[in-house]
Amino acid sequence: MRLTAFTDYSLRVLIYLANVPEGRATIAEIARAFDISEDHVMKVVHLLGQADVLLNTRGRGGGVRLARPARDIGVGDVVRLTEHQAVLAECFDRKTNTCALAGGCTLQRALGKALDAFYGVLDTYSVADLHVGPRQFGRLARRASYLSAKL
């Protein structure tokens, strides 16, 4: 299974915010730190804000911050939110399923168990568990600051 770029970016945003000393950052700063477009970060921030995972403040002095402590934000919950509905195979989508084996083989059950195990593992982690070492985070922060100064 491969996570979408949207999920990857969502987790990066949360990791960044959990590690930033002030607990707040701008969309531009996060985008520069990870070398991804501000539009992508904006979409992530919008969805996570709607889901009450982030608090978004507009205007001067605004920015983005976690809506609750990092230890209270489950990684499994974030992945479920951003992946919407994991469709591992055609038979998982009742609306579009045309598989001639549907209902007659055990693949769907096996894949369902695998997906449950995948989320079961993710559910044991919070954003706080996804800490970044000070050295690595320092590099990200310097990158965001350096690129900002060049603009």
Side-chain angles (χ1 to χ4, degrees):
M1 180 171 172
R2 182 181 178 145
L3 299 178
T4 62
F6 190 84
T7 298
D8 179 21
Y9 296 163
S10 297
L11 293 169
R12 289 188 208 189
V13 166
L14 295 173
I15 291 167
Y16 190 88
L17 292 171
N19 283 277
V20 71
E22 305 84 32
R24 183 182 60 81
T26 65
I27 288 171
E29 178 185 338
I30 296 167
R32 285 189 304 266
F34 292 111
D35 194 25
I36 55 181
S37 84
E38 286 186 37
D39 288 340
H40 283 81
V41 176
M42 195 176 312
K43 289 175 186 172
V44 163
V45 165
H46 179 72
L47 176 73
L48 295 177
Q50 285 183 321
D52 297 322
V53 176
L54 295 179
L55 293 174
N56 309 325
T57 306
R58 303 188 94 171
R60 187 175 181 98
V64 184
R65 63 186 172 95
L66 299 177
R68 54 188 182 272
R71 71 179 173 278
D72 295 337
I73 301 171
V75 173
D77 293 334
V78 173
V79 172
R80 282 183 190 88
L81 172 70
T82 57
E83 289 291 318
H84 302 292
Q85 186 177 25
V87 178
L88 295 179
E90 181 182 356
C91 57
F92 279 75
D93 190 346
R94 292 180 185 180
K95 292 179 185 172
T96 61
N97 183 16
T98 60
C99 179
L101 298 174
C105 77
T106 58
L107 178 60
Q108 184 177 11
R109 184 173 46 232
L111 290 175
K113 285 182 178 182
L115 186 61
D116 290 344
F118 173 77
Y119 281 118
V121 170
L122 292 181
D123 287 337
T124 67
Y125 291 91
S126 72
V127 171
D129 297 320
L130 306 179
H131 58 82
V132 177
R135 189 178 209 167
Q136 180 66 27
F137 188 77
R139 251 185 300 204
L140 279 175
R142 283 190 302 278
R143 175 187 174 94
S145 297
Y146 172 76
L147 292 174
S148 177
K150 288 186 82 174
L151 296 175

